[in-house]
Amino acid sequence: MIDLYTWTTPNGYKVSIALEELGLPYTVHGVDLGKGVQKQPEFLRINPNGRIPAIVDRAEGDFAVFESGAILLYLAEKTGRLMPTDAKGRSRVIQWLMFQMGGVGPMQGQANVFFRYFPEKLQPAIDRYQNETRRLYTVLDTRLKESEYLAGDYSIADIATWPWVRVHDWAGVSVDGLPHLQRWLKAIAERPAVKRGVDVPFPLNKDTTDEERAKSVQSILQR
C-alpha cells in the first residue's frame, strides 16, 4: 500500500496517473495548499521541502519519496513498468522526463504566475515565459512527429509532461499549429487510467470557478 499526498496540480496528477496506470493500491491524502497543510510539521517529515506530491511506500518500511520526477522513477523501477530496462531506452525516457522537469514545468509555471496571478501585468515577463513555453511545445511537437510517444513507448516521460501541456490555456499558451502535440494530448486524455488519475484527490469540472482553479495551482506560486 502506498500513501499518496497530493492536490489538484499538474505535478500532483503525475503521480496519481502513474499509480492508476500501474494498478498499485494507494490511499489518497489531500494536502490543501490553500490552508498551508504542506507547511505543517507532519507533512514536512515526509517532504522537508513542503511541496506536493509525495508518497510513503508502506511495503518498504514507510519509505518516503518526494519530488514528482523522483516518484515516477521510483514507481517505474519498483514495478519494472513504464520505463525500458535497456540502457538506451531507459536513458531516452529519463532525458524526456528531465526535459519536463527542467523545462516545461518551470517555464509554464512562471507563465502561469505572470499571466494569471502577479499583481502587476509585466508584459516582458509574460512574453518571455509564454514564448519559451511555446518553444518547448514545438520541441515536443517535432519529437512527436517521429514517435507516437516521447520516448517511443508510453512511459513516465509522457505521464510527467501531459498534465502540464493539457492546461496550456491557463498559461495563455496556444497549441495551434502543433498537430502532433495535439494528437498526443488527445490520445493520452482517452486512457482510462489517466481519466481516473485526474480525478485525484477530487474531480474538477468545466464549471470550476476561477477562484477554485486558482486555489488548485497554489503550489506554483510557492515554488
Side-chain angles (χ1 to χ4, degrees):
M1 178 67 71
I2 289 175
D3 283 353
L4 168 63
Y5 295 84
T6 190
W7 199 242
T8 54
T9 73
N11 285 338
Y13 292 142
K14 294 177 189 178
V15 180
S16 53
I17 290 171
L19 288 167
E20 290 290 342
E21 291 281 10
L22 294 167
L24 292 173
Y26 66 100
T27 300
V28 177
H29 302 270
V31 180
D32 191 331
L33 304 177
K35 295 180 180 178
V37 176
Q38 73 279 15
K39 301 300 183 182
Q40 297 301 313
E42 295 80 5
F43 185 73
L44 291 174
R45 283 193 286 270
I46 298 169
N47 181 359
N49 194 35
R51 301 287 188 270
I52 64 97
I55 65 169
V56 175
D57 190 344
R58 301 300 182 190
E60 297 293 337
D62 294 349
F63 182 65
V65 187
F66 64 93
E67 289 295 323
S68 60
I71 296 170
L72 293 179
L73 284 168
Y74 177 80
L75 294 174
E77 292 174 345
K78 176 183 176 72
T79 60
R81 296 172 57 197
L82 295 176
M83 185 168 66
T85 55
D86 66 287
K88 289 183 179 179
R90 186 175 185 276
S91 176
R92 192 173 293 113
V93 168
I94 293 174
Q95 288 174 58
W96 285 106
L97 175 63
M98 294 303 107
F99 179 83
Q100 188 283 312
M101 297 295 296
V104 174
M107 293 300 102
Q108 189 171 331
Q110 291 301 316
N112 285 337
V113 169
F114 286 103
F115 182 62
R116 291 284 179 182
Y117 306 114
F118 205 70
E120 300 176 54
K121 286 296 181 183
L122 302 178
Q123 198 59 48
I126 293 171
D127 292 344
R128 166 173 166 58
Y129 290 113
Q130 288 182 337
N131 290 341
E132 178 61 8
T133 300
R134 171 69 186 201
R135 185 191 71 80
L136 295 170
Y137 285 2
T138 65
V139 175
L140 293 171
D141 188 70
T142 300
R143 170 58 179 165
L144 292 166
K145 181 179 181 180
E146 61 189 33
S147 178
E148 184 177 5
Y149 297 106
L150 291 176
D153 293 331
Y154 182 67
S155 73
I156 58 172
D158 302 288
I159 292 172
T161 310
W162 181 84
W164 281 93
V165 183
R166 74 186 281 258
V167 291
H168 60 88
D169 59 330
W170 193 243
V173 181
S174 172
V175 294
D176 290 348
L178 302 175
H180 311 291
L181 184 63
Q182 291 181 35
R183 183 267 306 163
W184 172 86
L185 280 170
K186 292 177 182 177
I188 294 178
E190 292 170 359
R191 296 178 67 90
V194 172
K195 292 179 180 180
R196 295 192 300 270
V198 295
D199 279 347
V200 177
F202 53 82
L204 297 176
N205 58 49
K206 64 181 181 180
D207 297 321
T208 300
T209 66
D210 281 354
E211 181 180 355
E212 290 169 329
R213 229 178 144 177
K215 183 179 179 182
S216 77
V217 294
Q218 282 297 314
S219 64
I220 295 171
L221 294 172
Q222 298 157 354
R223 292 189 72 83

